[in-house]
Amino acid sequence: MINPNQSRDVIFISKATPEDDDFVLWLAPRLEAAGYSVFADILNLEAGDRWRKTLTNTLQTRAQKMLLLCTDIGLNKDGVQEELGIATDVSREINDPNFIIPLRLKRFKKVFGMGELQYINFESGWADGLTELLDALEAQGVLKMETPVVQPNWEQHRRRNEIVIVDQPETLTSNWLRIVSAPNTISHIAPKGPCNRAKLFRRARTFNLPWVEHWTGFITFCSPLDMEEHFAEFGALTTVLTLPLEKFLEEGWPDLRIKPWEARNKFVSLLRQAWEHHLTASGFEAYDYSSGVGHHVGANKTGLNRRVAWGPKDAKRLSVLRNVAKGKVWEYGLSATPNLYPIPHLRLKARVLFSEFKNDSDDNSDRKGAIITDKDKQHKLRRSTCSSWRNKAWHGRMMGFLELLAGDHPIIALPVGAGGHVTLEVCPMKLASQVTTRYVDDDEDAEEVDASTLVGIFVDDEDKTEPES
């Protein structure tokens, strides 16, 4: 524990501007609430201040600790490196080897002056990092104010920089695909004779049309003819009952003791299966997540760093759905959750799946290796790679995926049996907002330019197209 001079009464936050402002606006008032006095250039530099002189004087004469916000971008800024050099001198002057406390916001490479300093980890969670930081400050005897004071200017500054709400309507693109049509009737199909029920449903798991179990048969849109070959070992199948789909959803199926809410759940299951079967049959690669199945764009759909065209013919845009980042192959995908409220639709969820990168592959057309099975590694890769994708990049990738799925067709037709389909609109639903936001975007229609995901990847030897830059 150190015993600093009384004039050293502030915790100095060294940061890159404006990259780290959001974190400082979160951290600083919480440190003040814990009793510490905080200096950060967001608030503590008045108009007309000679800002570099003020920063230097505060760090040299008033700081009892310097919190160094660590990301590769921040640590490479000239101002941060200058402050690190000054702090290293102060550390020797006051004989405090722990004067500099690194806070890891993202994985970073150490720079000159950091030595063997031990960081506090904020990457896995800001709340956990704050707890660890407060414990460290307490253990090192950092001085507190007698009465904690939280400057209201932190919140005022945050609000001034929030997006301004404008009182005018705006049309927004959702992640909902509207269900346009479905078969008029639904059926209960069962074997004519007795059979092993458990064996029947095990066999049904490999059937490529949707069904749900009920008694010793199936609720489905299929006909017995659709199922005949797949279930041949169980003898002839027959249609026990049929019912109009609309009545099934509104009233259930009393003859089968199916209540209305059960009927709707069964219909949702049929929709989900229809989507998943169709995407698999269309060549998208299925992957089981804990929350459901996702389908991804594989090598048979598009190459690495190849842009997929989507949108109207007279205004085509381009999006990358497969590439390499951080030494791993990433592939964009979607999951779909059927919903009947407020109107029947499939709600899409974006997925990004990472695989190993094959450096020594003999196949120059693709370098994808084994899928990374460690869930924690997948999560960290998503956070570090996808955090820079703004809304337009996510939107573009969703639209590119749907373009690959639909091709030249105006709808997405999901086969459900008996020659019938559940049909979806290709374009996600438009939603109307009563207000909009005022923001600046110099190139709203452009694909996201992100060096970690879009630049410098491989092309086929026979393909003379240059990588995107």
Side-chain angles (χ1 to χ4, degrees):
M1 183 182 298
I2 67 169
N3 183 22
N5 187 287
Q6 289 297 314
S7 66
R8 293 192 175 276
D9 59 353
V10 300
I11 293 176
F12 184 100
I13 299 179
S14 177
K15 68 176 187 67
T17 301
E19 288 86 353
D20 299 326
D21 284 0
D22 286 344
F23 178 75
V24 173
L25 290 171
W26 178 89
L27 177 65
R30 285 164 174 79
L31 290 175
E32 289 184 343
Y36 299 104
S37 178
V38 176
F39 181 96
D41 62 10
I42 292 178
L43 292 189
N44 298 97
L45 294 180
E46 301 294 338
D49 275 354
R50 297 176 61 186
W51 64 273
R52 178 51 61 189
K53 182 177 180 180
T54 301
L55 288 173
T56 301
N57 287 341
T58 302
L59 184 54
Q60 287 178 331
T61 64
R62 293 191 56 202
Q64 53 177 327
K65 292 290 178 183
M66 183 179 88
L67 304 183
L68 177 63
L69 306 193
C70 295
T71 65
D72 281 336
I73 293 176
L75 291 174
N76 284 317
K77 292 292 181 75
D78 291 341
V80 173
Q81 292 186 11
E82 183 180 343
E83 290 169 4
L84 179 57
I86 295 171
T88 302
D89 292 338
V90 173
S91 176
R92 297 191 192 100
E93 178 186 335
I94 66 174
N95 194 28
D96 179 11
N98 297 313
F99 177 72
I100 303 170
I101 303 178
L103 309 184
R104 188 172 94 173
L105 306 187
K106 294 181 180 178
R107 192 175 300 275
F108 65 93
K109 297 177 182 177
K110 287 186 176 182
V111 297
F112 181 78
M114 295 189 67
E116 299 302 318
L117 297 175
Q118 296 298 310
Y119 64 78
I120 291 177
N121 186 13
F122 280 81
E123 184 179 24
S124 58
W126 288 5
D128 292 340
L130 177 62
T131 299
E132 186 180 349
L133 174 60
L134 292 176
D135 288 345
L137 295 176
E138 187 73 28
Q140 295 178 35
V142 178
L143 296 179
K144 296 184 178 182
M145 297 178 286
E146 292 184 5
T147 303
V149 176
V150 178
Q151 300 180 66
N153 290 341
W154 298 115
E155 179 63 17
Q156 293 170 10
H157 182 90
R158 185 186 67 80
R159 289 183 177 180
R160 280 199 304 271
N161 287 278
E162 286 182 339
I163 295 174
V164 177
I165 302 298
V166 180
D167 188 17
Q168 65 184 47
E170 180 181 5
T171 301
L172 304 171
T173 302
S174 73
N175 61 336
W176 293 9
L177 295 185
R178 188 171 73 91
I179 297 174
V180 179
S181 66
N184 293 325
T185 60
I186 195 165
S187 301
H188 179 222
I189 292 179
K192 284 185 177 180
C195 69
N196 184 315
R197 187 170 180 271
K199 189 176 180 180
L200 174 71
F201 292 124
R202 280 198 302 271
R203 178 63 175 161
R205 292 182 195 133
T206 58
F207 189 48
N208 62 0
L209 291 169
W211 59 272
V212 289
E213 174 184 340
H214 189 72
W215 293 350
T216 55
F218 309 97
I219 302 297
T220 181
F221 293 111
C222 295
S223 69
L225 187 60
D226 294 322
M227 309 178 79
E228 182 178 65
E229 181 178 351
H230 191 80
F231 294 93
E233 63 187 285
F234 298 96
L237 300 176
T238 185
T239 300
V240 181
L241 291 170
T242 61
L243 191 70
L245 178 61
E246 184 176 357
K247 187 173 184 179
F248 176 68
L249 296 176
E250 291 180 357
E251 303 176 11
W253 205 333
D255 290 345
L256 298 179
R257 299 178 187 173
I258 298 174
K259 298 178 181 179
W261 65 268
E262 292 175 308
R264 290 188 287 272
N265 285 346
K266 291 180 185 296
F267 180 60
V268 164
S269 178
L270 293 172
L271 292 175
R272 177 184 53 76
Q273 291 177 57
W275 168 268
E276 292 173 1
H277 288 318
H278 181 59
L279 265 72
T280 299
S282 299
F284 293 90
E285 298 180 359
Y287 184 81
D288 287 323
Y289 293 90
S290 58
S291 58
V293 177
H295 283 81
H296 293 267
V297 178
N300 62 327
K301 285 295 182 182
T302 186
L304 296 174
N305 199 35
R306 292 290 185 270
R307 294 194 174 194
V308 174
W310 59 271
K313 291 183 179 180
D314 57 347
K316 284 290 185 184
R317 290 177 58 186
L318 303 168
S319 293
V320 172
L321 302 181
R322 301 180 71 238
N323 215 334
V324 177
K326 304 187 184 300
K328 309 296 180 184
V329 173
W330 65 262
E331 296 172 313
Y332 180 85
L334 290 174
S335 295
T337 303
N339 286 271
L340 303 183
Y341 180 84
I343 62 172
H345 66 277
L346 264 62
R347 187 171 302 168
L348 303 179
K349 179 178 181 179
R351 303 283 195 178
V352 180
L353 184 67
F354 290 84
S355 302
E356 298 293 349
F357 174 71
K358 296 191 294 186
N359 288 298
D360 57 348
S361 174
D362 293 331
D363 180 4
N364 290 324
S365 64
D366 204 81
R367 298 295 185 92
K368 177 185 174 182
I371 293 173
I372 296 170
T373 57
D374 188 306
K375 293 181 180 179
D376 290 336
K377 288 184 179 179
Q378 286 278 354
H379 177 68
K380 289 179 180 179
L381 284 165
R382 287 188 200 104
R383 287 188 60 179
S384 60
T385 299
C386 305
S387 60
S388 62
W389 297 0
R390 287 181 262 177
N391 285 340
K392 63 185 178 184
W394 288 107
H395 171 72
R397 292 187 171 109
M398 178 179 70
M399 297 302 294
F401 186 103
L402 294 174
E403 187 85 8
L404 284 180
L405 176 61
D408 296 328
H409 300 289
I411 60 170
I412 298 171
L414 311 179
V416 292
H421 297 83
V422 170
T423 59
L424 313 172
E425 290 183 341
V426 175
C427 292
M429 293 174 58
K430 303 289 187 180
L431 303 178
S433 170
Q434 297 304 308
V435 296
T436 187
T437 56
R438 184 183 295 121
Y439 59 91
V440 176
D441 193 328
D442 293 333
D443 193 7
E444 175 61 18
D445 289 333
E447 165 67 315
E448 185 74 10
V449 178
D450 180 354
S452 71
T453 59
L454 300 181
V455 178
I457 312 305
F458 305 92
V459 293
D460 301 346
D461 287 345
E462 296 179 358
D463 190 341
K464 303 305 180 183
T465 303
E466 293 298 323
E468 299 291 345
S469 60

